[in-house]
């Protein structure tokens, strides 16, 4: 009998159940009225008195082992069922939401601001011909002004290059439509520059163009003044400094009061209180003529800005390379609704 109980105990310890039904069968086998344990207790009558104590203890041990086994298997089977419920594919997804790239957030902000005052969005090719990137924009052939924009040319064809600015898109818009034209062109541009914290060979621009009768420099200033306040806040001041671009005359660069120190002076604005954010000017009549727009009847203004530079100012980012590395620890800090 000792042997029999020993084998039963081994069986009980080794038992595994894959589901509740198997466990229930196990319970019935051992603990029901006609089960194994009941039969053992029935046999107990025949045990000789000197062995009764020892065998009685073993039988109780076996019974407890069966009961413990049932409790523990039941618990683990219930856990499995719960996990199965958790993995229910029909439940709503709980994956963390991704975030928009900071350059996209700021580009969308810029588009949003200009859309509110009637500007449309136009796009064009990144691989351009000389006419749209340079000639139509009043860059004379072989003029050193072309060196201003360290161009990537296609080796086999000097007429084809990666666009150095999205002004090329505006040439295409002027060729294909009549004034009034009010459009902005966001996009990627390319310049042969060494990569550093402040420069990259690929960056993003938003350029704008407004052509109509009687467009004046006052319209240009007011539009950009509105833009700066919308993007950087109500207290933002602007100032215009004379500059040079082949395609605008007169040309200017616009500074805003430093959004970091509020104009008091800090290392971002190099203690001047001002930071440059864009180039602008009145469209040179030669450009209108090149695009078959009557430069006697129409005038226009244009402006262009780098999205990276504006994003760096807005979020106080000090290394441009962060935008291109796609490090999740950097990207997940930006949240937007736009
Ligand atoms: N196209 C110029 C650039 O890439 C920016 C600009 C656009 C300046 C329009 C004036 C007017 O730097």
């Amino acid at each position: 009998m000792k042997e029999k109980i020993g084998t039963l105990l081994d069986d009980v310890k080794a038992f595994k159940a894959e589901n509740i039904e198997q466990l229930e069968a196990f319970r019935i086998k051992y603990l029901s009225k006609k089960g194994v344990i009941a039969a053992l207790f029935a046999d107990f009558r025949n045990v000789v008195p000197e062995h009764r104590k020892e065998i009685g203890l073993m039988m109780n041990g076996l019974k407890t082992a069966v009961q413990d086994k049932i409790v523990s298997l039941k618990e683990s089977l219930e856990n499995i069922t719960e996990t199965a419920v958790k993995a229910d594919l029909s439940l709503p997804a709980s994956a963390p939401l991704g975030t928009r790239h900071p350059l996209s957030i700021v580009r969308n902000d810029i588009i949003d601001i200009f859309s509110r005052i009637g500007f449309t969005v136009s796009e064009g090719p990144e691989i351009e011909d000389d006419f749209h990137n340079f000639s139509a924009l009043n860059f004379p052939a072989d003029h050193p002004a072309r060196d201003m924009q360290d161009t990537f040319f296609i080796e086999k064809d000097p007429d084809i290059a990666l666009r150095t600015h999205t002004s090329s898109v505006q040439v295409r818009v002027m060729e294909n439509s009549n004034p009034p034209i009010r459009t902005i062109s966001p996009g990627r541009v390319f310049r042969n520059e060494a990569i550093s914290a402040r420069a990259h060979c690929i960056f993003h621009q938003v350029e704008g163009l407004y052509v109509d009768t009687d467009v004046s420099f006052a319209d240009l200033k007011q539009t950009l003044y509105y833009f700066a306040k919308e993007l950087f806040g109500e207290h933002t001041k602007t100032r215009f400094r004379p500059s040079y671009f082949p395609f605008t005359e007169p040309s200017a660069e616009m500074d805003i009061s430093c959004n970091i120190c509020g104009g008091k002076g800090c290392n971002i604005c190099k203690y001047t209180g001002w930071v440059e954010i864009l180039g602008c000017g009145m469209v040179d009549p030669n450009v209108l003529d090149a695009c078959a727009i009557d430069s006697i009847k129409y005038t226009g203004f244009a402006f262009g800005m780098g999205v990276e530079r504006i994003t760096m100012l807005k979020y106080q980012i000090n290394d441009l390379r962060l935008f291109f590395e796609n490090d999740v620890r950097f990207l997940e800090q930006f949240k937007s609704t736009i």
Side-chain angles (χ1 to χ4, degrees):
M1 187 139 174
K2 269 204 246 169
E3 251 174 49
K4 191 174 170 189
I5 300 175
T7 331
L8 285 169
L9 193 61
D10 288 345
D11 287 352
V12 168
K13 282 185 183 156
F15 178 73
K16 288 194 176 84
E18 273 167 23
N19 51 43
I20 295 287
E21 288 75 30
Q22 285 180 4
L23 184 61
E24 180 61 6
F26 174 80
R27 189 191 66 80
I28 292 170
K29 177 176 169 195
Y30 285 92
L31 298 181
S32 67
K33 273 188 190 156
K34 291 182 185 166
V36 174
I37 306 244
L40 279 180
F41 276 95
D43 282 350
F44 192 62
R45 268 183 264 128
N46 310 324
V47 176
V48 289
E50 56 267 40
H51 287 151
R52 279 202 174 170
K53 190 174 177 198
E54 193 190 352
I55 294 198
L57 280 174
M58 284 180 82
M59 281 166 45
N60 282 336
L62 178 66
K63 191 172 176 184
T64 320
V66 171
Q67 285 164 339
D68 289 352
K69 188 78 180 185
I70 291 174
V71 171
S72 80
L73 282 180
K74 200 166 172 196
E75 234 169 55
S76 57
L77 283 173
E78 272 166 5
N79 280 344
I80 290 175
T81 336
E82 261 172 37
T83 328
V85 170
K86 271 187 206 143
D88 181 350
L89 297 181
S90 65
L91 287 174
S94 60
L97 279 182
T99 54
R100 229 182 259 294
H101 194 285
L103 292 178
S104 305
I105 297 176
V106 170
R107 181 205 53 205
N108 292 353
D109 270 346
I110 299 171
I111 293 177
D112 198 49
I113 294 168
F114 283 106
S115 303
R116 292 204 288 273
I117 51 172
F119 281 77
T120 59
V121 173
S122 21
E123 291 186 336
E126 292 180 348
I127 301 173
E128 263 299 3
D129 51 38
D130 180 276
F131 178 77
H132 292 95
N133 197 79
F134 291 121
S135 302
L137 288 161
N138 203 32
F139 284 81
D142 301 322
H143 190 279
R146 290 175 191 234
D147 291 344
M148 262 167 71
Q149 309 203 339
D150 311 303
T151 313
F152 284 117
F153 286 98
I154 306 289
E155 228 171 57
K156 294 225 168 65
D157 187 351
D159 188 48
I160 306 293
L162 296 179
R163 68 179 178 198
T164 57
H165 50 185
T166 59
S167 303
S168 55
V169 179
Q170 305 181 339
V171 172
R172 288 178 182 277
V173 172
M174 286 190 279
E175 278 176 326
N176 297 319
S177 46
N178 295 316
I181 294 169
R182 215 186 273 142
T183 192
I184 52 169
S185 36
R188 213 156 41 147
V189 300
F190 308 84
R191 290 186 196 177
N192 190 2
E193 301 219 21
I195 297 171
S196 71
R198 322 198 74 216
H200 208 289
C201 54
I202 301 176
F203 60 98
H204 299 79
Q205 283 190 326
V206 177
E207 298 219 354
L209 173 74
Y210 178 27
V211 182
D212 203 348
T213 48
D214 303 321
V215 176
S216 71
F217 203 88
D219 296 321
L220 162 77
K221 284 182 83 172
Q222 194 55 40
T223 304
L224 295 178
Y225 185 48
Y226 162 79
F227 163 70
K229 278 177 172 266
E230 286 294 301
L231 191 68
F232 287 100
E234 193 49 37
H235 304 295
T236 310
K237 295 192 189 77
T238 51
R239 77 172 184 191
F240 290 79
R241 283 176 293 103
S243 184
Y244 170 76
F245 300 102
F247 33 89
T248 46
E249 183 61 35
S251 304
E253 270 161 335
M254 186 176 89
D255 297 341
I256 57 162
S257 50
C258 178
N259 65 314
I260 311 294
C261 63
K264 287 192 199 81
C266 67
N267 59 350
I268 302 285
C269 61
K270 301 200 190 78
Y271 300 94
T272 63
W274 297 95
V275 282
E276 185 213 316
I277 63 160
L278 54 81
C280 57
M282 299 307 291
V283 180
D284 192 303
N286 290 345
V287 175
L288 297 175
D289 290 337
C291 301
I293 289 180
D294 184 349
S295 61
I296 307 286
K297 190 169 170 201
Y298 295 107
T299 49
F301 68 72
F303 56 88
M305 64 191 92
V307 182
E308 277 79 357
R309 180 166 175 74
I310 293 191
T311 310
M312 287 169 91
L313 287 173
K314 217 174 145 127
Y315 292 112
Q316 300 177 35
I317 296 164
N318 57 11
D319 193 328
L320 198 121
R321 289 167 292 198
L322 285 165
F323 293 131
F324 298 92
E325 282 163 1
N326 283 332
D327 185 329
V328 178
R329 290 167 302 180
F330 171 71
L331 296 179
E332 70 189 1
Q333 296 176 46
F334 300 90
K335 303 268 184 293
S336 94
T337 51
I338 213 170

